[in-house]
Amino acid sequence: MFRKLDILDEKEKVLRQVSKEVKLPLSKEDKKTIDEIITYLTYSQIPEYEKKYELRPGMGLSFVQLGILKRIIVIVDEYEEGKFDNYVVINPVIVSNSTEMIAASEGEGCLSVNREVPGHVARYARVTVEGYDVDGNKIRIRAREELSIAFQHEIDHLNGILFYDRIDKNKPFYTEKEMRLL
């Protein structure tokens, strides 16, 4: 049974708080929330379900966006039409990054920000993230391009940072010469 999630709006002060480290093993409740997030994000990227359930497309969500101050992120990446990879990382940490910077050419969006925010967000082209999976096993993920942007965006949420905080007010847009735009 599909349940539409109550995703907090950017006005909610809890989104500006730093999420707490999670003690393992995960509770049944946390595992259920993770499953609901995966279903929600997957459905939001499938046009027929997006319309049916009136969803905004999204590929990532952090627990804080549901008002739960725990360091858990979920990313559902459609790597090929109709095919998805699910990434669930508990207590994620970026342990290395490229020097190359990139930005989403259309700018970033967020399921907690229900408006267009013009500007590019400079992100690392590649990151390596360490943390734990749902069973408490240590994991290491190398992400590049859009997936790298998604990991950085979701980890920012855990630190109380929204994507538009990273848009340079004096120079909100980059040219292709200044930065690779995806």
Side-chain angles (χ1 to χ4, degrees):
M1 176 64 200
F2 176 71
R3 183 173 81 84
K4 199 165 174 179
L5 300 174
D6 293 323
I7 298 171
L8 298 180
D9 183 77
E10 64 181 303
K11 296 180 206 78
E12 300 291 334
K13 288 182 175 33
V14 71
L15 289 174
R16 294 307 191 161
Q17 293 183 30
V18 175
S19 295
K20 309 274 186 280
E21 289 276 318
V22 177
K23 296 212 184 336
L24 297 165
L26 285 182
S27 68
K28 282 191 175 96
E29 189 180 332
D30 285 342
K31 286 183 177 182
K32 181 174 179 271
T33 302
I34 288 166
D35 288 343
E36 289 175 343
I37 291 171
I38 289 170
T39 301
Y40 183 98
L41 292 172
T42 304
Y43 278 21
S44 82
Q45 295 179 67
I46 299 171
E48 82 185 63
Y49 290 124
E50 177 197 335
K51 284 186 188 65
K52 179 177 179 180
Y53 296 111
E54 298 175 341
L55 305 175
R56 281 183 50 221
M59 73 181 282
L61 200 70
S62 59
F63 265 44
V64 68
Q65 290 176 273
L66 301 176
I68 305 166
L69 282 169
K70 293 182 177 180
R71 296 186 81 79
I72 301 175
I73 62 170
V74 179
I75 295 171
V76 176
D77 178 35
E78 187 174 21
Y79 62 91
E80 194 178 293
E81 187 156 342
K83 294 185 179 177
F84 300 90
D85 277 333
N86 300 333
Y87 299 90
V88 177
V89 188
I90 293 112
N91 301 329
V93 177
I94 295 173
V95 294
S96 68
N97 56 263
S98 62
T99 53
E100 182 191 9
M101 301 298 283
I102 58 173
S105 60
E106 300 297 313
E108 289 184 25
C110 178
L111 292 172
S112 290
V113 180
N114 297 302
R115 61 191 174 95
E116 290 287 317
V117 180
H120 291 142
V121 181
R123 301 278 192 190
Y124 299 114
R126 292 170 303 286
V127 293
T128 301
V129 177
E130 287 184 353
Y132 298 88
D133 67 12
V134 292
D135 299 316
N137 300 308
K138 190 132 177 78
I139 55 172
R140 182 182 186 99
I141 299 163
R142 288 191 176 88
R144 48 194 313 257
E145 313 285 321
E146 286 91 352
L147 192 56
S148 174
I149 290 172
F151 271 102
Q152 292 168 78
H153 179 111
E154 296 309 324
I155 291 170
D156 273 353
H157 273 301
L158 303 181
N159 297 315
I161 299 166
L162 294 175
F163 75 92
Y164 54 74
D165 298 339
R166 296 197 179 275
I167 296 173
D168 185 333
K169 306 290 177 263
N170 299 317
K171 186 175 179 14
F173 293 96
Y174 297 99
T175 65
E176 277 284 356
K177 285 187 176 128
E178 296 168 313
M179 184 177 305
R180 189 156 57 93
L181 302 175
L182 302 182

